[in-house]
Amino acid sequence: MNDADPTTAEEPVVPDIDLPSDAFDAVLDALGDLAPDDRLRFEGFAVGRDPGAEDAYVLETAGDDPRTGLSERDLHAALDDRAPRVTDWYVFERVVGEFGPRRAFLRWIEDADGATVATRYAALAEGIERAWGQLRITATVTDRGERRYEVRHADDAGVPRAELTAHDDPLDARDVVKLDEKGRYRPLKTAPTLHSGWVFPELGPRDAYELVETVYPATVANWHREREGDLDVTHWREAMARQSGIYGVIKTWDRGEGYEHVNWVAEACCDDSQCLKRREWQYDDETDLDVDGGDGLFPCREPCSVVVSAARRWTRLESEQPRTYEFELTPSEKEQLEAVVDAVADGRIDEIREADTKEGANRYRARFLRAKLFDDAGNLGGVPTDPDDAE
Ligand code: SF4
C-alpha cells in the first residue's frame, strides 16, 4: 500500500509495503498497555482504545474527525493503508529498541530525525548510502518494511557482490579487521588500513550495528556521546598522569616545559592519513595543540594505547643529548635523505617505481647512496654513532 507524504508538494515514490503480522501484533500489544485516553502515535496519525465500546479502537488523523468503534479487522485495514508509517514505528520501537547509540546510529543512516517516512522509504527503495570510516553502508527496505544493510569496504563501491567474499555473521568481521592488505597485523583498529574484497550483503539492524562496532570499536558510542554533548575528553597530561608501571616513564617526558613534543606525537600518529578518528584531546584543559585534530566523523576522546606505546619509545629516545656529527653530502644527497624520510613517513615507498630514479626514495637511488656513503659497519659517511667506537 502506498503512504504518500502529506507534507511535500512533490510526492516521493513510496514503495508498496505490506503490513507484517509481527508489526500489527506489536501495535495490538502496545494498545493493550495503554490507558483508555492514551494514544499510540505514528507520523501524522494516532490510534488508541475506544472507551465507548469494548474491544474497539479509535483512529485519529490530523485534520479529520476521529474514526471510532473500529474492530480489530478495521484497525488492521487502516494500519495496512499506512503500512510505511506503522512499519517505521515497529522497526525503531521494537526491532531496534531502546534509546542509545545503536538507535541513534541507525536513525542517522536514514535521517530518521529529519526526513518524513515517505521521503525515507522512497530513498530506501533506491538504497541510502553512508560512509563510516572506510565502511560503505547501504540501507534498503523490504516489501514488509524491514531494514536491510549491506556493508563493504568503500574501495569496493561498484564491485559486483559476486566478486566479493560474502559473510553473514557480523562476528566474521573480527577476521576481516585483523590484517591489512599485505597481511600485517593492524594494531590500531581505526587506522585507514582496512583491507577490501568482502561484503556483508544483508544484515538486519542489530547485526549491522554489531558489525560496525566490531570494525571500529566504541566509535558509535563516542559519536553518540558527542552528539548528546556528553563526550568526556581526557587530555594528554591527565592521561599521562594515569600511566603506571613501565608506562610511567612517559611522565618524565612531560615535565610541563612546553608541549612541542605532544604536537609531534599527534602529528605523527593522529593525522587523518594515520587514523580515522578526529582527535578531540589536547595538551590539557587550557592548552590546545597546534596541529589539527582531523576531519573524522567520530571523535577520539583520549590518547590510545598505540599512541601511549609510541610515546614511551620516543620518551626514551628523546632523553638522549644531541651531538654534532660532521658529514659531507652533496646537495642532492641531502635532499635525497629528506625524500627518503618523507616517503617512509607518508607510506609511499610501494608507490615509487623501480625505474623512477628521479625519486629520492627510489630503491636503486637509496642503494647507490648506501654503497657510496656507508662503511662496512653501516655508519653514514664512516662516522661512528658513538665517538668511543672510533678506531
Ligand atoms: S590517539 Fe590518535 S591515533 Fe589514537 S585513536 Fe586517537 S586519534 Fe587515533
Side-chain angles (χ1 to χ4, degrees):
M1 303 285 158
N2 261 350
D3 189 6
D5 176 4
T7 62
T8 52
E10 260 184 52
E11 291 182 1
V13 182
V14 183
D16 282 348
I17 302 290
D18 289 326
L19 184 68
S21 55
D22 355 2
F24 184 60
D25 290 346
V27 172
L28 292 180
D29 272 357
L31 289 175
D33 293 339
L34 284 186
D37 289 339
D38 280 350
R39 296 288 177 264
L40 188 59
R41 303 200 176 276
F42 303 87
E43 185 186 285
F45 73 100
V47 294
R49 285 155 57 195
D50 188 345
E54 203 173 326
D55 292 333
Y57 301 95
V58 58
L59 170 78
E60 295 172 352
T61 307
D64 284 341
D65 291 336
R67 285 174 58 194
T68 56
L70 298 178
S71 66
E72 190 175 308
R73 194 188 179 93
D74 297 333
L75 180 67
H76 185 279
L79 294 183
D80 194 32
D81 280 347
R82 296 161 177 80
R85 287 179 278 170
V86 179
T87 52
D88 192 64
W89 170 87
Y90 177 64
V91 164
F92 287 111
E93 295 303 321
R94 294 300 149 104
V95 179
V96 174
E98 77 270 15
F99 287 89
R102 177 176 58 207
R103 182 183 167 108
F105 178 71
L106 293 167
R107 290 182 70 80
W108 167 80
I109 285 179
E110 57 186 83
D111 192 19
D113 295 321
T116 61
V117 170
T119 304
R120 281 188 284 124
Y121 272 54
L124 285 164
E126 302 289 318
I128 297 177
E129 286 177 9
R130 285 284 198 176
W132 191 262
Q134 289 184 292
L135 299 179
R136 178 178 175 275
I137 304 167
T138 308
T140 51
V141 66
T142 71
D143 58 7
R144 291 159 48 88
E146 301 145 321
R147 300 301 191 272
R148 290 290 176 264
Y149 302 85
E150 190 217 63
V151 185
R152 56 169 72 190
H153 194 293
D155 290 352
D156 288 329
V159 177
R161 265 190 198 172
E163 292 176 20
L164 302 170
T165 306
H167 301 272
D168 295 327
D169 185 346
L171 294 181
D172 286 357
R174 288 187 294 207
D175 292 328
V176 169
V177 302
K178 211 176 280 170
L179 306 176
D180 68 12
E181 210 82 49
K182 289 182 187 156
R184 295 173 301 197
Y185 176 67
R186 298 175 65 242
L188 182 64
K189 291 290 173 274
T190 45
T193 54
L194 202 59
H195 74 76
S196 54
W198 47 268
V199 63
F200 291 76
E202 209 162 325
L203 298 173
R206 285 170 174 258
D207 281 353
Y209 175 75
E210 190 165 345
L211 170 63
V212 172
E213 271 296 284
T214 306
V215 176
Y216 295 129
T219 54
V220 177
N222 285 330
W223 164 88
H224 181 242
R225 281 194 194 108
E226 186 177 54
R227 274 163 57 111
E228 301 288 303
D230 218 10
L231 185 72
D232 52 328
V233 175
T234 305
H235 298 294
W236 170 270
R237 289 210 59 178
E238 195 187 333
M240 293 312 119
R242 282 188 199 161
Q243 301 300 322
S244 59
I246 52 171
Y247 289 98
V249 72
I250 296 174
K251 282 185 262 177
T252 65
W253 191 25
D254 196 38
R255 305 177 197 94
E257 298 163 353
Y259 57 94
E260 208 176 15
H261 56 297
V262 190
N263 275 324
W264 297 330
V265 171
E267 185 173 335
C269 302
C270 306
D271 185 79
D272 281 347
S273 64
Q274 308 300 310
C275 179
L276 298 165
K277 285 189 188 176
R278 171 177 22 89
R279 180 182 51 74
E280 287 298 318
W281 56 264
Q282 304 291 346
Y283 180 61
D284 62 22
D285 245 349
E286 288 155 15
T287 323
D288 282 358
L289 295 179
D290 302 330
V291 291
D292 189 58
D295 297 324
L297 194 55
F298 32 83
C300 171
R301 50 172 294 273
E302 64 182 342
C304 67
S305 59
V306 171
V307 158
V308 171
S309 161
R312 181 174 158 251
R313 166 73 52 193
W314 285 315
T315 306
R316 293 238 157 91
L317 298 176
E318 290 295 305
S319 66
E320 295 177 6
Q321 293 304 309
R323 290 177 186 168
T324 303
Y325 295 99
E326 204 168 299
F327 305 103
E328 288 210 338
L329 299 174
T330 66
S332 295
E333 287 164 354
K334 174 182 172 288
E335 284 176 1
Q336 190 186 345
L337 288 177
E338 291 159 355
V340 168
V341 172
D342 261 349
V344 172
D346 293 340
R348 285 189 292 105
I349 293 297
D350 288 346
E351 295 163 20
I352 298 172
R353 289 177 295 114
E354 285 189 2
D356 192 359
T357 48
K358 284 200 301 303
E359 275 282 355
N362 168 272
R363 196 169 81 240
Y364 293 134
R365 289 271 310 268
R367 290 178 65 84
F368 182 91
L369 196 70
R370 183 174 68 176
K372 177 182 172 187
L373 294 183
F374 286 21
D375 66 13
D376 291 345
N379 290 311
L380 176 62
V383 179
T385 303
D386 191 332
D388 294 342
D389 292 344
E391 287 176 13

